[in-house]
Amino acid sequence: MLKIIVLMGAPGAGKGTQARLLRERLGLPHISTGDMFRAMKESHTPLAEELRLILDSGVLVPDELTIRVVEERTSKPDCRNGYVLDGFPRTPAQADMLETLAAGQGHPLVAVLVDVPFDILEKRVTGRRNCPVCGEIYNVYFKPPKFDEVCDLHPSAKLHRRADDNAETIKTRLATYGQETQPLIEYYERTSRLRRVDGTRGVEAIYADIENAVTGDK
Ligand code: AP5
């Protein structure tokens, strides 16, 4: 299967959770622009400081930088057989760039919307915790670790809470998603490349639909 899988959905919809399963089970690289920016903001450079302010407020990183980061990552040899994009594209300029990239690489593109109503996203986001070692995603309400605040696989690692996972910033993230990214859903629908999955169910039921959508001919 030589495909670019674009996982779309609001903040907390479950894109990262599903992308990790696609990586494990289909062997496709998981490219998360959010994860890449969070890693970049940890260095001690003026760019890192700028990124920290942007990410912590919930607005978007400028297109120029985002596009450069994706171009660089997708040019690596592990992307030759396709890849999973988590959180990209988010603007029309990013979607345009992806069309050019996909055409150049000869990969068809399928967009999957993990559909979750806004009113249940807050608990998903405020309850999220991540392992700083393996990146495993937990949730204190829906997927708690066996022992409080530590990873099941790395017991010495205290789980981390993202700086933008708070009730205030989530409002900005949702508004940004509505204004900038939701129009792209119509764009992929118009071009017959959108698959919708109901993201309110259990993780495995959602995954089964996604795998079916990206490996089938429909
Ligand atoms: P990014 O990291 O992409 O964040 P996001 O889009 O807000 O999405 P999240 O990571 O919050 O949620 P998710 O859908 O991955 O959900 P998850 O699987 O973790 O972006 C962060 C920032 O980076 C942006 O605000 C922006 O500043 C910048 N950025 C990134 N990409 C950019 C771009 N292209 N252009 C410009 N700027 C960009 O799940 C959430 C929680 O729910 C977890 O706790 C999980 O355990 C739980 N959960 C998952 N599935 C289920 C389920 N089925 N049932 C119950 N709980 C579930």
Side-chain angles (χ1 to χ4, degrees), residues 14-85:
K15 304 179 295 294
T17 300
Q18 296 298 330
R20 288 171 66 84
L21 292 177
L22 287 165
R23 181 184 61 197
E24 273 166 39
R25 298 177 188 180
L26 300 184
L28 292 170
H30 167 200
I31 300 177
S32 158
T33 39
D35 285 350
M36 290 194 283
F37 290 141
R38 277 184 289 281
M40 286 166 74
K41 79 172 185 165
E42 294 309 318
S43 59
H44 298 281
T45 61
L47 174 63
E49 183 52 33
E50 202 183 315
L51 280 174
R52 196 167 307 127
L53 291 173
I54 294 173
L55 265 68
D56 293 0
S57 65
V59 296
L60 293 183
V61 174
D63 281 336
E64 197 196 331
L65 174 62
T66 308
I67 285 172
R68 197 154 19 102
V69 162
V70 171
E71 268 170 355
E72 212 174 287
R73 177 65 188 89
T74 55
S75 67
K76 300 222 160 111
D78 65 332
C79 291
R80 257 195 313 252
N81 293 334
Y83 43 89
V84 181
L85 289 170

Side-chain angles (χ1 to χ4, degrees), residues 175-192:
T176 306
Y177 174 76
Q179 282 158 21
E180 313 262 1
T181 309
Q182 264 184 330
L184 297 184
I185 295 168
E186 285 160 38
Y187 168 68
Y188 287 122
E189 193 145 52
R190 269 201 316 277
T191 52
S192 307

Side-chain angles (χ1 to χ4, degrees), residues 9-18 32-35 37-38 54-55 58-63 66 86-91 94 123-125 127-130 137-140 142-143 162 164-165 170 173 199-203 206:
K15 304 179 295 294
T17 300
Q18 296 298 330
S32 158
T33 39
D35 285 350
F37 290 141
R38 277 184 289 281
I54 294 173
L55 265 68
V59 296
L60 293 183
V61 174
D63 281 336
T66 308
D86 162 8
F88 182 95
R90 271 167 136 108
T91 65
Q94 294 178 17
K123 260 188 158 174
R124 293 235 187 141
V125 168
R128 172 172 40 202
R129 303 288 185 274
N130 294 84
I137 306 169
Y138 295 91
N139 190 291
V140 296
F142 307 116
K143 189 193 169 195
R162 269 167 52 176
D164 60 346
D165 277 352
I170 187 65
R173 288 164 61 197
T200 62
R201 299 163 301 152
V203 168
I206 299 167

